[in-house]
Every structure is written in C-alpha cells, then in structure tokens.
Amino acid sequence: MPADPAKMTLSNSTPQWTLLFVAWLLGSVFCTAQAAAPNSQAAGGNAARGAVSKSYPPDRVEKGKSLFRQNCSFCHGRDATGGESGPDLTRSRLVTEDVDGDKIAAVVRNGRPEKGMPPFNLADDEISSLVAFIHTQQNDAIAAAGRPGGRKGVDVSDLQTGNVEAGRKYFNGAGGCASCHSPTGNLAGLASRYQGLELEEQMLYPKNAKSKVTVTLASGQTITGTLVYQDEFTVGLIDSSGTYRSWRTRDVRYNIYAPVNAHVTLFGKYTDDDIHNLMAYLQTLR
Ligand code: HEC
Ligand code: HEC
C-alpha cells in the first residue's frame, strides 16, 4: 500500500493523541450521568459536552457496523481507523466531542462534498446505529492506546480478487450501469485514466460530474445548460454557446438533472463481491 501522508502525520502526532486520551479520561469522569442513560437524546442544550465513554447496546453496534462496512469503510477503513481517502474516526476530535450523534449526524447527512465526503440519506435510526459503532470503535481504540497495532484500511489486494465476467454481467444487468455508460463510449479508456483505489473511488463517487439544468424564465422561455452554480438565491449555468448566465432563483423555475446521483443510490446496493467484480471488469477498459 502506498504511504499515505495524512496517515503518517496522524500516527506521528503524539501530542494530539495524548490530548484525546486526556479528554477521554476527563469525559469518563464527568459524564458518568450520561453513560448511565444509553438511550438519552443529548441534543438538548443542557447536556454535558465532551468525550463520553459509554457503552451502546451490542445489537445497535452490530447494526452500525454493517451499515458502516456498507457505506463508510471504503473511505474510513473497515474499523473506522482511516482508509485511503477518509480520516481515522477513532482519532477524530469531532467524534470525541460528539454526544449521541449531535455532531456526527450532521456530517453524515450533509457530507463535506468539497472535501470528498458525500452526503448520505439515512434514517435516524440508521444514523444512531452508525454513531454507536463509531463511538464503540473510538472507545476500543482509546482502551488499546499504547498497545502497538497495525491499522487496517482498504486492502489493495482486494481490488484484484474480482471476476471480469461477473462484473460485465452486473454492469449490463443488475447494476443498471449500461443505461448510462458504455465501455466503448463514455467509459472508454477509463482504466488508463484511473488505477487501483483511485478507479474504485471514481466508480463509487465520480468526482467533477456535471449536472444539467433547465431554467424557465417568467416569459416561458427555457434555457438548458450545465449547472455551475446554485444556492438558495442564485442559479447559474453555462449555456450551449459557452456563456455563463445566472438568475435569481425567485425569478425563474428550474429543474436540475444530476444522473450521477444514481451513484449515491447504487452505493447502498453493492455487495463487496459486486464491487470487486465491477473493478475487475472496469480494469479491462483501457
Ligand atoms: C468517499 C469517501 C467517504 C465516504 C464514503 C465517507 N466519508 Fe466520512 N469523510 C470523508 C472525508 C474525506 C472526510 C474529511 C473531510 C474533511 O477534511 O473535513 C470525512 C469526514 C467524516 C467525519 C468527520 C471527521 C472529523 O474529524 O471531522 C465523520 C464523522 C465521517 N466522515 C463519518 C462518515 C460516515 C459515518 C460515513 C458513512 C455513512 C462516511 N463518513 C462516509 C470521506 C468519506
Ligand atoms: C443514471 C445514470 C448512471 C448510472 C445508472 C450509473 N452511472 Fe456512472 N456515472 C454517471 C454520471 C452522470 C457520471 C459522471 C460523468 C461525468 O459527468 O463525467 C458517472 C461516472 C462514472 C464513472 C467515472 C467515469 C469517469 O470518466 O471518470 C464510472 C467509473 C462509473 N460512473 C461507473 C458506473 C458503474 C459501474 C455503474 C453501475 C454499477 C454506474 N456508473 C451507474 C451516471 C450513471
């Protein structure tokens, strides 16, 4: 596995780690009240803040673990200890400070798209299971602090274990990929552009995907183009002549077409085998 500078910094930053440990010690001393009430919703204002080392019901943790493996481990590692593209959550200060999901839930729901973390559309109950798993992993990591141990991440050798034919079949069949992609069209030469984990990441969460937008003016005229800007007040596009145009959202109606969002939905559906097989297949598209 190639050396990951982010990880190296983390594992070498002993002071940060020590702080976390101290925070945890303080937390376990001062937050016992919360620890005794595992189901309390601590989002309210007077809840104690800080590191909470509490245990969650094992079935909730188990559920969180499988959701995590499905949705998050690709970036954050199977055990939440960090992967190729997501930070180690067991050493995350945000996780340390989180109380029953009051911080984690927002990150999961909104993502940090500009930093490479996609938003997830998960039910409250799924999020609280994820929260239980992440805290449990952090507590375990803290308990094991000082013990030498390798960290696990995404295993690059996993990328070579798929079956090309099964991948092709999934691509054209159950995966529905062929409705938007063609190996000789928009995916031609894919494996020459991306390799290994980068390819896997691009398949799971394509970066720089363009969305289309159709704006209908008050006059009834419609303009279609590539969406380049959108917030509550403004929508902007590049039209077919390459010109940037924007409107106040309250003056127009607009429809965004973002086919790449299919990838977010797909992400919840793949099994590990599907991913490995797809990777094997996509790696043949040179
Ligand atoms: C495509 C990669 C990717 C996936 C999938 C992903 N994350 Fe992240 N996540 C990131 C990145 C990158 C960051 C760091 C963003 C930053 O630097 O602010 C992050 C940050 C976080 C943070 C905040 C950590 C901190 O200290 O600020 C939490 C919590 C988190 N992710 C949880 C999750 C959970 C739970 C899932 C699954 C539901 C998930 N992530 C899926 C890439 C990912
Ligand atoms: C509803 C349409 C849709 C479906 C279904 C879909 N994708 Fe995509 N995919 C997109 C869009 C849109 C992009 C972004 C392309 C762009 O804007 O450059 C994309 C990007 C990609 C990329 C990156 C391409 C590149 O050149 O960087 C890969 C790889 C990919 N998809 C694989 C798949 C696979 C595998 C499946 C099926 C499991 C799938 N897609 C299903 C719409 C779709």
Side-chain angles (χ1 to χ4, degrees):
M1 196 186 288
D4 176 342
K7 265 192 238 159
M8 313 260 298
T9 327
L10 275 177
S11 34
N12 292 335
S13 65
T14 327
Q16 200 180 326
W17 181 231
T18 315
L19 272 178
L20 184 70
F21 188 62
V22 170
W24 168 73
L25 280 177
L26 288 174
S28 43
V29 173
F30 293 116
C31 301
T32 17
Q34 285 211 340
N39 291 318
S40 73
Q41 288 300 313
N46 46 14
R49 297 283 145 161
V52 182
S53 171
K54 70 181 204 179
S55 46
Y56 289 84
D59 54 332
R60 182 119 68 89
V61 176
E62 269 309 303
K63 193 177 160 216
K65 181 183 189 172
S66 70
L67 281 164
F68 193 89
R69 296 262 154 99
Q70 183 92 0
N71 296 290
C72 327
S73 63
F74 165 67
C75 294
H76 291 288
R78 281 173 74 75
D79 302 312
T81 51
E84 287 294 320
S85 56
D88 182 344
L89 298 178
T90 66
R91 296 186 183 192
S92 154
R93 185 174 179 156
L94 179 142
V95 171
T96 314
E97 290 172 354
D98 177 270
V99 177
D100 282 336
D102 67 346
K103 298 199 164 57
I104 296 174
V107 178
V108 174
R109 284 193 209 290
N110 306 327
R112 291 190 186 151
E114 69 295 346
K115 299 266 182 60
M117 160 111 182
F120 287 85
N121 187 3
L122 294 169
D124 287 354
D125 154 70
E126 293 176 312
I127 294 198
S128 66
S129 302
L130 279 168
V131 166
F133 172 70
I134 294 168
H135 278 300
T136 303
Q137 289 303 104
Q138 183 170 75
N139 293 343
D140 290 354
I142 288 167
R147 231 186 276 160
R151 56 180 60 241
K152 292 181 207 135
V154 175
D155 189 352
V156 181
S157 63
D158 272 5
L159 299 179
Q160 313 306 335
T161 60
N163 175 297
V164 175
E165 272 318 307
R168 189 196 313 272
K169 210 168 149 224
Y170 186 80
F171 186 94
N172 292 310
C177 320
S179 64
C180 297
H181 296 296
S182 141
T184 51
N186 58 7
L187 294 188
L190 179 75
S192 316
R193 282 179 279 135
Y194 304 99
Q195 274 94 39
L197 283 166
E198 208 192 350
L199 174 59
E200 181 166 342
E201 192 172 34
Q202 188 63 7
M203 169 183 92
L204 296 174
Y205 289 108
K207 279 194 271 271
N208 308 319
K210 297 281 179 248
S211 302
K212 292 271 170 220
V213 62
T214 299
V215 175
T216 307
L217 310 186
S219 66
Q221 188 197 350
T222 61
I223 294 121
T224 295
T226 303
L227 181 69
V228 287
Y229 190 83
Q230 183 211 1
D231 66 17
E232 209 181 322
F233 308 106
T234 310
V235 56
L237 57 71
I238 303 255
D239 70 14
S240 52
S241 70
T243 310
Y244 176 76
R245 304 179 61 179
S246 67
W247 297 267
R248 291 190 301 186
T249 51
R250 65 165 194 240
D251 296 339
V252 296
R253 282 185 296 121
Y254 61 98
N255 274 311
I256 293 173
Y257 177 60
V260 71
N261 287 348
H263 281 254
V264 176
T265 318
L266 277 165
F267 199 70
K269 294 188 185 149
Y270 303 118
T271 64
D272 284 355
D273 282 351
D274 294 337
I275 293 181
H276 297 156
N277 295 338
L278 273 173
M279 279 296 293
Y281 171 57
L282 293 180
Q283 286 178 89
T284 66
L285 309 180
R286 298 202 164 269

